[in-house]
Amino acid sequence: MYTLTKKEAHGLQFVELTNADQTTKATLCLNQGGRLSDLVFNGIAVLADYAPSTYKDNYASSILFPFANRIKDGTYSFENRKYTLDCNEVDKNNALHGLVYDKTFECSGEDLQANYGAITLNYNYDGSCKGFPFKFEMRLTYKLSGDDLSLSVEIKNNDTKALPFTLGWHPYFVSKNIDESSLHFDSETQFLCDTQQIVSGTCPFDIEMPYHLKGVTLDDGYELQSNTVQFHTPEYLLKIGSTSEKKYLQLYTPKTPNVIAIEPMTGAADSFNNAIGLQTLQPNAEYDVTWTIAFKDLRD
């Protein structure tokens, strides 16, 4: 039987889903946007071990909404009105990673069975930010089993007016040896960026797969042709999937050794201005996407 445990550490509230023999677990931080702070399959940690105190710098596993990635100078126009967001990426003068990454979510449901455990978290946004005065509700459902984790995100527009959005997820994965690791994904288009990491154009992407990561430094975005990205390491293989019709990917290698961020998104950087992947949610309408992480143990 899967179990759910509530914990407190570093002044933060956590919930942990664990299987019966304690070899597989998923830990969620309620105060940091309901993010996935730890993920272990069969005793192998697949997420980078970042301290909660560093979250403000790395946004590890944050949910990116109502925009994924960046908004140039924090400004955009929607339905003939101009809006200004706080620029939390100070060095580049951008609004970064949306508005829910630091909000507190509440547990609203659980489902614990012999072969899986699931928990649902909720957050209601009252539209109080002048840069995004649109009310919405977000519901996150994490479901863990022996060899996969799914995250279903549901958004409901609780306002009387339409709202613009893109959505993304920002997990950092760890490899025993990144130089012996590789990616496999289907893309024909890579985004070019300016000095603010804002999309300035596109170029053909013709790297032969698998994309070997030895000596590679990345902070790049791609339009995907399929909804699966594979991450192959010496210890395990991950298949990261999405149900989104709009398919984009951001890859980022931080200074932390043997770590890579693999970020599924429904739009590109600065989507509120360039409209790449931008969607509109009408009053009382809902949008949902499910991301999955399927795990395969490669140890002998």
Side-chain angles (χ1 to χ4, degrees), residues 67-74 89 91-92 94-98 193 196-198 219 250 252 265 268-274:
F67 59 90
N69 210 292
R70 296 167 170 86
I71 303 296
K72 179 180 173 65
D73 299 325
E89 189 180 36
D91 61 328
K92 294 184 176 67
N94 296 318
L96 183 66
H97 293 335
C193 291
Q196 283 181 266
Q197 284 301 115
I198 297 298
D219 193 357
Q250 186 77 18
Y252 173 59
M265 305 189 303
D270 202 31
S271 59
F272 278 21
N273 290 308
N274 59 36

Side-chain angles (χ1 to χ4, degrees), residues 249-265:
L249 174 69
Q250 186 77 18
L251 298 174
Y252 173 59
T253 49
K255 293 181 180 179
T256 309
N258 295 318
V259 171
I260 183 170
I262 304 173
E263 309 168 47
M265 305 189 303

